[in-house]
Structures are given as C-alpha cells and as structure tokens.
C-alpha cells in the first residue's frame, strides 16, 4: 500500500557514539553515504567520546580515546560540505549514566542504585548539565538546534529530597519532571537565545492537556515522539501528536529506527522490521491535522540501550536497513523503484543483510561492506545448533557428562571423537574471528573489537575450549 511521502521537514540520522565510535576516516565515509542517500542532518549523541575539558574531563571515555576537538570540528565541517546539519544530543536528566557512574558524581543521583537519573533538587547537578551544554555548544560553531534528551527518567520521585518535595499538597512527579526540564530549557535560551531546543516526549505522554499547557515548555521546546516498533499504534501516536499540538507545541518531530531497537544484544539487523516501522510512521504522517507542523524525523541507530548495556548491531550490518528506510520515506512505500535504488546504490542483491550478495566489487558504494559480510557469516556459525549446543549433543551428554569428567571415567574412543569435533569447531570459528577482527579494526577502535568479540564469540568458544581441556585431562588418566 502506498502513502504520501514523508512531509516536508528534515530527515536526520542518529549517530549513537556511546558505543563503537567509528574511526574518523570511517565516520567521514559514512557521512558521505548518508548525504548520497538523502539525509539532511545528523543527530549526534557523543556521551563520553566528546572531548570534555576542565572539571568535566573525567567524563571522557577511558576504554577508547574520545574524539579530539579537531576531529569534532572536522566532522561538522565535512557534514556541512555535504549539505547536512549537525545537531548534538546531550542528556540532561535521565540516561546520565556516563556522568553519574563516577564516584565524584554519585551524590547527584536521584537514588543511589539508579545510575541514570539526576537529582533535580541539587543546583550542582544543573551546573554540571549547563557546563556540559556550554562545552558542546562552544565546539559546534553556528549551532542553531540542540537536543536535551530527557527520556526515561527512571525512579524520579523516589529520592529522599523528592519525597520531601512531593509531600507538599498538590505536587506531582509530573510537575517535578517539568520543573527541571523547564529550568534547563530556560537556561539554554538565556545563554543562546537563538537556539531551537528538541527533547524526547515519553515522560510527557501521560500528562493531561492542562498540565502540558501550564508546563512552561510551550514555545520553549519541540517534542520528539519516538516509537521504534514494527507494529506502532498509529491512532495512539496521532492522538499524542495532536495533544501536544493542542497544548501549544505545534512544532513536533518523529523518531523512528534503522537499528539498535530489536533487542539489547542483536548482532545482525532485520531490514523488514525497520521497514515496517517506517511504513507505520508514514500512516501517522498521513493522518495528522494541518495544525501539526512536523519539523522532521530522526532515524535512530542505537549502539547501546544505555551507557552500561552491551553493544547493539554495528553500523555496517545496518546500512541496507537505513537505505531502505530512507527510500521508503521518500517514496511513501518500499516500491520496486525504491528497492532498485537501494540495491543499485549499495551494490547488493537483497536488502536483508543476512541474504545479500554483492553485485559490485568496489567497496566505495558501501563503506563497511566487507565487515558486514564477515559478521553475517560469523553470526551464522555462532548460532548454528551444532556449535552453540555442542555440550547438549548426544555424545557429550552420554559419554562426557560433568559426572564423568569429575571422576575421569570416560570412554577414550568416543571422548577423542568429541575432542576432535570441538577442536574442529574452534579452528573454524577462530579463522572467522580473525578475519572479523582484522576488518573491524580498520573501522573501529581496538576496544570496540575486543568488546564485540568477548560479547558475541567468547560465550560460544569458552565451553568448547573447556571440553577440549577436560578431554585432555581425562585421557591422561585413561590412556597409557
């Protein structure tokens, strides 16, 4: 079914750099591709790879080096040369794990065991937020739009100071949220009067029309409503956007997803899932009243669900998905023409990365193409039943159980067969892993390579390695 193309407004691609930050050279190649695919701007979430300085230098990542000031500037300059705007996203309330994990910042948490949420009652917390914003804005010359986050403010109202504040008659957690966000937004406007401020909408979804009208945010912020699901509820989403509009916030944004929203540990992107998400967003856009002014859509590509979670899919395996999502927005459907443009541009035969075959030898049309191929191949191997469930095979369970290993009462003939099979699997995996390691190191820092392998490969190879070692130990007791 066809819908009107995405209405006028910007199409942003979200770069989530809190995990697997691309090497600068690869980042530039990605930006060039994004431009060719029709992207208007970048929504850049730096977190700890931003070169914070002075009292905030402790926020810089230690696992991998932060981008330098020159690299941040060159990224913006290159994006601008391709006609793309850069909008920084700086969390200012929830998802502040990369700040509040540091011991010197512990006292600024809403509750001790929730690392992500800032205590809204401490002026010191607001000062930290404003200093973060100041340094980011200063390193983005000519910046006109800023995203202040404010999604998923978990445990708000549970801190002791919040409980005291809420004890006064008529006060609510909603008001507590709004008071902090309004304070930050007003401080931004005071410091940079020209600045357009975007924020995530989820904490406002349950608020009444009257609460929103009296929030102090009308005319101050532009909400960005996010929904990454393939079965997005169109009528509910339309109602929410209309409610924000009726409250006086007519300038609104959508946020979809091209990767990083399937599961917290997904390794390979499903294009169909993200295509479905964008088809639902097209239905939403077609159902809105003329009063709603959609400023654009941010196509998010989460690299972690939060600062302390594991890596989601790396960008190379999600490029076909991104291209499909963009073409779907441009055409109002994923038509044969749209598919032809994607496969032709990327040099692939299928838009699903797991089944794509390259129709072009050159890597220039698909930066990271070889890594995507290798990850798909290795992922298939890691998830093959023979390897993943080797410990549950008939021979291991029947002739090399934990009971038998502990007592070293094994049948050498069958045990040697088990050893040979486990060793063969390990050698096959190791060959693939080394190819992935070599290719990934060209595009990502060594810390990302190490983390990816430890997260995806080690849980599969460790049991195989243990079996080979245990077999060797048992055979010493059984074979002369």
């Amino acid at each position: 079914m066809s819908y009107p193309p995405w209405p006028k407004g910007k199409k942003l691609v979200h770069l989530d750099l809190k995990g697997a930050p691309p090497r600068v050279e690869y980042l530039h190649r990605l930006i060039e591709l994004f431009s060719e695919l029709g992207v208007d701007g970048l929504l850049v979430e730096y977190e700890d790879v931003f070169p914070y300085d002075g009292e905030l230098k402790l926020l810089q990542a230690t696992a991998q080096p932060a981008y330098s000031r020159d690299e941040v500037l060159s990224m913006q300059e290159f994006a601008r040369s391709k006609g793309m705007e850069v909008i920084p996203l700086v969390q200012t309330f929830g998802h502040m794990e990369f700040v509040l994990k540091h011991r010197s910042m512990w006292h600024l948490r809403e509750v001790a065991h929730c690392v992500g949420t800032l205590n809204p009652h401490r002026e010191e917390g607001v000062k930290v937020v404003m200093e973060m914003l100041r340094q980011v804005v200063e390193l983005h010359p000519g910046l006109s739009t800023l995203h202040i986050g404010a999604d998923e403010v978990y445990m708000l109202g549970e801190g002791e100071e919040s409980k005291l504040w809420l004890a006064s008659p008529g006060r609510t957690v909603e008001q507590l949220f709004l008071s902090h966000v309004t304070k930050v937004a007003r401080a931004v406007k005071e410091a940079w009067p020209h600045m357009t401020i975007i924020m995530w909408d989820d904490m406002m979804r349950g608020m009444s029309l009257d609460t929103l009208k009296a929030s102090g945010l009308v005319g101050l912020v532009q909400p960005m409503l996010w929904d990454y699901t393939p079965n997005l509820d169109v009528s509910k989403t339309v109602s929410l956007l209309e409610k924000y509009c009726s409250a006086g916030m007519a300038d609104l944004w959508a946020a979809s997803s091209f990767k990083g929203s399937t599961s917290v540990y997904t390794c390979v992107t499903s294009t169909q899932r993200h295509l479905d998400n964008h088809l639902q967003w097209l239905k939403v856009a077609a159902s809105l009243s003329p009063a709603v002014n959609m400023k654009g859509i941010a196509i998010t590509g989460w690299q972690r669900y939060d600062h302390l979670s594991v890596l989601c899919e790396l960008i190379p395996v999600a490029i076909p998905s991104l291209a499909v999502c963009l073409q779907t927005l441009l055409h109002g459907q994923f038509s044969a023409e749209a598919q032809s443009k994607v496969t032709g541009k990327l040099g692939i035969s299928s838009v699903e990365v797991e089944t794509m075959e390259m129709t072009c030898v050159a890597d220039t049309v698909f930066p990271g193409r070889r890594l995507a191929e290798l990850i798909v191949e290795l992922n298939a191997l890691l998830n093959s039943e023979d390897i993943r469930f080797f410990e549950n095979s008939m021979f291991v369970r029947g002739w090399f159980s934990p009971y038998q290993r502990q007592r070293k009462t094994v049948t050498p003939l069958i045990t040697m067969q088990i050893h040979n099979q486990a060793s063969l699997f390990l050698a096959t995996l190791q060959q693939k892993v080394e190819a992935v390691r070599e290719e990934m190191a060209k595009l990502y820092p060594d810390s990302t390579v190490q983390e990816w392998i430890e997260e995806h490969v080690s849980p599969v190879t460790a049991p195989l390695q243990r079996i080979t070692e245990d077999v060797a130990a048992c055979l010493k007791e059984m074979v002369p």
Side-chain angles (χ1 to χ4, degrees):
M1 186 173 177
S2 177
Y3 304 95
W6 186 257
K8 67 176 183 178
K10 296 170 183 172
K11 291 179 289 297
L12 310 176
V13 167
H14 169 238
L15 283 176
D16 181 15
L17 303 177
K18 63 175 170 279
R23 294 187 185 275
V24 174
E25 301 79 10
Y26 184 49
L27 190 57
H28 283 218
R29 291 172 66 198
L30 288 171
I31 291 170
E32 185 162 10
L33 175 65
F34 295 165
S35 172
E36 292 168 359
L37 291 173
V39 175
D40 302 305
L42 304 174
L43 180 63
V44 184
E45 190 163 0
Y46 294 99
E47 280 214 1
D48 60 354
V49 295
F50 185 82
Y52 287 109
D53 204 0
E55 62 192 52
L56 298 184
K57 191 160 189 176
L58 83 164
L59 303 184
Q60 285 192 29
T62 53
Q64 75 267 329
Y67 291 118
S68 69
R69 293 176 65 86
D70 286 345
E71 287 171 339
V72 172
L73 289 169
S74 75
M75 180 267 290
Q76 296 171 69
E77 186 178 342
F78 189 71
R80 277 196 299 270
S81 75
K82 300 297 177 182
M84 297 165 66
E85 179 183 8
V86 175
I87 300 174
L89 192 163
V90 182
Q91 289 287 4
T92 57
F93 204 173
H95 282 304
M96 291 190 64
E97 294 92 350
F98 82 103
V99 177
L100 301 176
K101 70 179 183 180
H102 296 284
R103 184 177 290 271
S104 62
M105 301 286 187
W106 284 4
H107 65 290
L108 297 179
R109 298 177 187 174
E110 169 72 339
V111 291
H113 59 279
C114 181
V115 187
T117 298
L118 189 71
N119 181 332
H121 307 279
R122 302 275 177 95
E123 278 303 315
E124 185 184 348
V126 177
K127 286 180 180 175
V128 168
V129 163
M130 290 310 298
E131 178 58 18
M132 288 164 56
L133 292 173
R134 186 196 67 77
Q135 291 194 23
V136 169
V137 172
E138 182 266 328
L139 202 53
H140 289 74
L143 186 67
S144 60
T145 305
L146 181 65
H147 196 310
I148 61 170
D151 60 319
E152 298 179 331
V153 188
Y154 301 129
M155 305 299 292
L156 182 62
E158 297 297 316
E160 292 307 313
E161 289 170 89
S162 288
K163 288 177 180 176
L164 282 173
W165 189 88
L166 291 166
S168 296
R171 288 181 173 177
T172 65
V173 174
E174 288 180 349
Q175 290 172 339
L176 182 58
F177 170 80
L178 291 169
S179 66
H180 175 79
V181 174
T182 304
K183 182 187 295 185
V184 171
R186 283 176 177 160
V188 168
K189 280 290 190 182
E190 187 176 327
W192 306 284
H194 66 283
M195 195 71 72
T196 296
I197 304 171
I198 302 172
M199 65 175 283
W200 297 119
D201 83 298
D202 54 286
M203 295 296 292
M204 301 188 291
R205 290 178 189 175
M207 295 182 186
S208 69
L209 190 60
D210 288 340
T211 299
L212 290 170
K213 285 179 177 177
S215 65
L217 292 177
V218 176
L220 199 56
V221 301
Q222 297 177 356
M224 180 178 276
L225 195 156
W226 58 270
D227 193 318
Y228 314 136
T229 58
N231 57 347
L232 176 157
D233 189 322
V234 174
S235 61
K236 184 178 177 182
T237 304
V238 169
S239 295
L240 267 174
L241 289 165
E242 295 287 358
K243 180 174 74 170
Y244 296 145
C245 180
S246 298
M249 294 182 281
D251 292 337
L252 295 162
W253 294 76
S256 58
S257 168
F258 76 94
K259 82 174 193 75
S261 58
T262 303
S263 78
V264 69
Y265 51 79
T266 298
C267 180
V268 175
T269 305
S270 163
T271 296
Q272 185 65 52
R273 176 186 176 89
H274 299 286
L275 165 59
D276 290 343
N277 175 239
H278 284 78
L279 290 173
Q280 294 300 93
W281 270 113
L282 284 170
K283 293 180 192 176
V284 169
S287 306
L288 293 170
S289 70
V292 177
N293 181 26
M294 292 304 292
K295 302 291 289 183
I297 185 168
I299 307 171
T300 64
W302 298 100
Q303 196 54 75
R304 300 186 194 276
Y305 275 27
D306 64 48
H307 181 77
L308 299 172
S309 67
V310 298
L311 292 171
C312 303
E313 316 101 290
L314 298 181
I315 290 175
V317 295
I319 285 177
S321 171
L322 175 60
V324 164
C325 295
L326 284 161
Q327 283 298 316
T328 300
L329 292 177
L330 289 169
H331 286 81
Q333 61 177 325
F334 191 54
S335 59
E337 181 187 357
Q339 180 164 348
S340 176
K341 286 192 175 181
V342 171
T343 55
K345 177 63 187 170
L346 301 184
I348 55 178
S349 59
S350 166
V351 297
E352 287 292 352
V353 72
E354 284 190 306
T355 56
M356 68 181 182
E357 292 180 0
M358 298 303 160
T359 58
C360 179
V361 177
D363 195 10
T364 52
V365 295
F366 184 172
R369 163 182 78 85
R370 182 60 185 149
L371 179 59
E373 287 179 306
L374 290 169
I375 286 176
V376 167
E377 291 171 8
L378 177 56
N379 185 62
L381 204 56
L382 291 168
N383 286 296
S384 65
E385 289 195 7
D386 287 348
I387 291 179
R388 185 166 282 274
F389 303 111
F390 185 69
E391 283 190 300
N392 289 322
S393 68
M394 180 185 75
F395 288 104
V396 175
R397 291 188 67 179
W399 282 273
F400 204 57
S401 70
Y403 178 89
Q404 292 162 317
R405 292 185 217 184
Q406 186 178 1
R407 287 159 180 77
K408 294 184 172 57
T409 54
V410 299
T411 303
L413 179 62
I414 295 178
T415 307
M416 289 170 70
Q417 291 175 341
I418 291 170
H419 182 278
N420 290 342
Q421 187 62 67
S423 298
L424 179 62
F425 286 152
L426 279 170
T428 304
L429 283 169
Q430 194 56 39
Q431 185 179 16
K432 289 287 185 187
V433 169
E434 287 311 310
V436 167
R437 185 195 303 274
E438 182 181 349
E439 196 64 28
M440 196 180 292
K442 297 174 184 176
L443 311 181
Y444 292 98
D446 293 342
S447 57
T448 294
V449 180
Q450 181 180 350
E451 180 181 0
W452 193 94
I453 289 173
E454 288 188 20
E455 290 289 353
H456 291 286
V457 180
S458 297
V460 179
T461 56
L464 294 171
Q465 190 64 46
R466 279 196 301 272
I467 284 175
T468 61
E469 292 168 359
D470 288 351
V471 166
C474 287
L475 289 178
K476 280 184 181 179
E477 303 290 326
M478 299 290 294
V479 178

